[in-house]
Amino acid sequence: METISMKIYRVLADEIISGTLAPGQSLEEIALSERFQVSRTPIRQALRELAARGLIELRPRKGGIVISISLDELADMLEAMCELEALCCRICAERMSAVQKKQLELIHVQSQERIEKGDEEGYLELNKKFHHLISVGAHNKCLTDTMDNLRKRLTQFRAAQAGVERRLVMSHDEHDAIMAAILASDAEKSYIAMRNHATRLSIHVLEVIKDRQAETAG
């Protein structure tokens, strides 16, 4: 079950990303406590989460300041993530153990079942496991840690890719190509399949965020 602090975090993160909360705007603990009708403890937890994702800069005992994140900066982060995921997939094709490959197949089958049931939330949870297993399967801690840190910063932005069943089906088909290349230990095909997948999602995210910011500005 989602905590109160995480619910507050998601509301504030959406408002920052859409531009409702403008860069430079102050997020005061007292004001937020009154707005959400909660104590300052979950507010502080939500603000720490926003800071960890690079959305605000914390101010001791006061709250935070919304950081400016331009579309160009977001595009840079997404591009870096695309390349890192593709690199990880290439290494994974050469290093993933037989047990991990079987786990990847199982997750893929379960994902198909979620799509057939129209369970988008369940699919997205398995999607995280699919990508995480590939990250771990590369057996490179430095690369995995770097990806995890960048993924945390992009989490709320990449949430914009959810919501369309056709996208889920397309995503699953792309996962099929990725998995097939990994099972065949084909490093180059794994790299290309993951890069194509990550790039398409990144383009979609940028389009959605751009539209949201335009609507807010209008």
Side-chain angles (χ1 to χ4, degrees):
M1 181 180 293
E2 192 172 53
T3 63
I4 294 174
S5 63
M6 282 305 296
K7 289 179 180 178
I8 295 171
Y9 154 74
R10 294 192 188 284
V11 170
L12 295 175
D14 283 340
E15 291 178 353
I16 292 171
I17 292 168
S18 68
T20 302
L21 291 174
Q25 188 165 337
S26 177
L27 297 179
E28 301 288 348
E29 289 183 9
I30 295 177
L32 291 172
S33 293
E34 293 175 354
R35 173 186 171 183
F36 290 102
Q37 294 294 295
V38 296
S39 70
R40 293 171 72 173
T41 298
I43 295 298
R44 291 192 186 106
Q45 293 172 340
L47 291 176
R48 282 197 292 268
E49 190 67 23
L50 288 169
R53 304 295 171 93
L55 294 175
I56 68 169
E57 180 180 338
L58 284 178
R59 299 190 303 170
R61 296 179 298 279
K62 290 186 178 181
I65 296 291
V66 177
I67 293 175
S68 173
I69 299 179
S70 68
L71 283 173
D72 286 341
E73 289 173 317
L74 177 58
D76 285 347
M77 286 192 288
L78 287 168
E79 181 180 42
M81 193 67 196
C82 285
E83 289 298 333
L84 286 172
E85 285 198 294
L87 172 61
C88 189
C89 203
R90 169 186 278 158
I91 298 173
C92 176
E94 300 171 337
R95 299 181 182 177
M96 187 175 248
S97 69
V99 172
Q100 289 173 324
K101 287 181 177 180
K102 197 64 182 178
Q103 289 176 320
L104 195 68
E105 285 185 280
L106 179 59
I107 291 173
H108 192 59
V109 170
Q110 292 174 334
S111 298
Q112 178 62 46
E113 293 172 352
R114 296 298 185 277
I115 291 175
E116 291 171 355
K117 294 178 180 178
D119 181 6
E120 180 179 312
E121 186 175 337
Y123 175 86
L124 292 175
E125 189 60 36
L126 287 168
N127 177 66
K128 292 178 185 177
K129 292 181 179 180
F130 184 88
H131 283 269
H132 178 70
L133 184 56
I134 290 174
S135 176
V136 173
H139 296 282
N140 185 310
K141 188 176 185 304
C142 181
L143 180 57
T144 299
D145 289 347
T146 300
M147 287 178 60
D148 284 345
N149 289 333
L150 188 53
R151 188 176 284 115
K152 285 180 181 178
R153 292 195 66 189
L154 288 168
T155 296
Q156 200 63 21
F157 293 99
R158 295 180 81 176
Q161 71 193 38
V164 182
E165 184 176 351
R166 181 171 176 270
R167 187 203 65 78
L168 295 184
V169 173
M170 187 181 297
S171 177
H172 187 73
D173 288 344
E174 290 170 350
H175 280 191
D176 196 60
I178 292 168
M179 188 186 69
I182 290 174
L183 294 182
S185 299
D186 191 321
E188 193 58 27
K189 280 188 177 180
S190 296
Y191 174 87
I192 293 172
M194 179 61 83
R195 195 176 189 284
N196 288 341
H197 174 60
T199 299
R200 182 184 65 80
L201 294 178
S202 295
I203 291 172
H204 178 78
V205 169
L206 284 170
E207 289 175 346
V208 171
I209 300 302
K210 185 177 179 179
D211 289 343
R212 284 185 185 176
Q213 293 183 355
E215 288 174 4
T216 303

